[in-house]
Amino acid sequence: SLFNIGGPLAANCTGTMLGGFEVSGSGYLAAISSIDHSLPTGYNSINIEGIERENRDIYLLWTDKNTWEMRHTCLARYTGVALTGSVPYLVRLEDGNFMVLWQRFTDSENESDTISYAFIDKDGSQIGKTQTTHAQLSESCVPIAANGRVVWYVNQNGTRKFYSLNADTSRFSKESENASSLEKDIFEENKDVIDSTGTLEEEKNEITEVEGI
């Protein structure tokens, strides 16, 4: 199977959420957040038994179109630490590759200004390392790829804040990756994240109505 989820039929609390589904030339991709299903002692329609916290790890699921080979890749493991991942977004990039991005929370946070993201190639393999930067995602705005970047906005306190992230996957090499130069490249890139806040007068009432989403 592609990904095993514990529990009997009608156990509505699965500890797993699907964030995005895409199709490439060679396969089908899905991004999910999920607990470690080896830990619970039981599942029912109200809660998951045997775990204190539902720490969600982030996975990329892949199915080959021709062979029906199935595999999953853990992009971020938060089980056992005081962190958890949100439902991830899966974005098709202009070069045919993909980006998975999600909000990262600590156990004590209801809000977070930290996101993580990973690049995925057309065959469902991760390109480079999972990266982290300061930004926020929105439940009401799905990120999209445009002009070599992934862009989205967040409505916040009557204003609309836009973010933009470099989507150039050619900087990474799966075959030979120099960790120090890659980290430096991402550090410089994080400075390019656009965090421009401005009130749009013609949309202010609408934005205020969806404040906090």
Side-chain angles (χ1 to χ4, degrees):
S1 63
L2 183 57
F3 191 82
N4 293 321
I5 299 175
L9 292 175
N12 296 329
C13 290
T14 64
T16 301
M17 298 190 72
L18 174 67
F21 179 81
E22 281 286 356
V23 181
S24 72
S26 56
Y28 307 98
L29 304 91
I32 67 169
S33 65
S34 179
I35 63 170
D36 183 341
H37 286 281
S38 68
L39 300 178
T41 58
Y43 299 77
N44 56 53
S45 59
I46 301 175
N47 56 34
I48 299 173
E49 302 166 0
I51 56 175
E52 294 183 8
R53 303 181 183 88
E54 290 190 25
N55 297 88
R56 303 293 181 98
D57 303 324
I58 306 298
Y59 293 92
L60 189 283
L61 312 184
W62 162 263
T63 302
D64 189 283
K65 279 184 178 180
N66 299 314
T67 66
W68 293 104
E69 171 198 357
M70 300 178 185
R71 68 175 185 270
H72 62 263
T73 302
C74 184
L75 303 177
R77 181 169 296 280
Y78 301 126
T79 300
V81 297
L83 294 171
T84 192
S86 70
V87 180
Y89 285 110
L90 178 58
V91 182
R92 177 189 291 274
L93 305 179
E94 294 164 300
D95 62 3
N97 293 314
F98 301 88
M99 179 187 285
V100 181
L101 62 165
W102 61 94
Q103 201 82 49
R104 193 187 72 179
F105 297 89
T106 67
D107 286 348
S108 61
E109 286 179 320
N110 292 321
E111 297 183 358
S112 169
D113 64 353
T114 301
I115 67 167
S116 293
Y117 59 98
F119 292 102
I120 308 296
D121 70 13
K122 305 167 190 178
D123 297 318
S125 297
Q126 184 171 356
I127 305 172
K129 298 179 179 180
T130 297
Q131 306 296 330
T132 298
T133 189
H134 294 293
Q136 289 182 313
L137 294 175
S138 170
E139 294 181 2
S140 60
C141 177
V142 177
I144 62 170
N147 299 320
R149 305 186 74 85
V150 170
V151 296
W152 71 95
Y153 66 80
V154 174
N155 293 327
Q156 193 175 66
N157 299 323
T159 64
R160 179 159 288 178
K161 182 183 291 187
F162 290 86
Y163 293 96
S164 169
L165 198 58
N166 191 337
D168 179 15
T169 59
S170 65
R171 300 170 298 155
F172 302 91
S173 170
K174 292 183 294 179
E175 290 75 20
S176 58
E177 181 177 291
N178 184 311
S180 60
S181 64
L182 179 61
E183 290 169 1
K184 182 178 185 298
D185 182 48
I186 290 297
F187 178 78
E188 295 298 327
E189 178 50 36
N190 286 347
K191 294 182 180 179
D192 292 341
V193 175
I194 296 174
D195 183 354
S196 56
T197 303
T199 302
L200 306 181
E201 294 296 333
E202 68 276 12
E203 296 183 9
K204 187 172 182 180
N205 291 336
E206 177 186 354
I207 293 172
T208 302
E209 290 175 3
V210 298
E211 181 180 355
I213 291 180

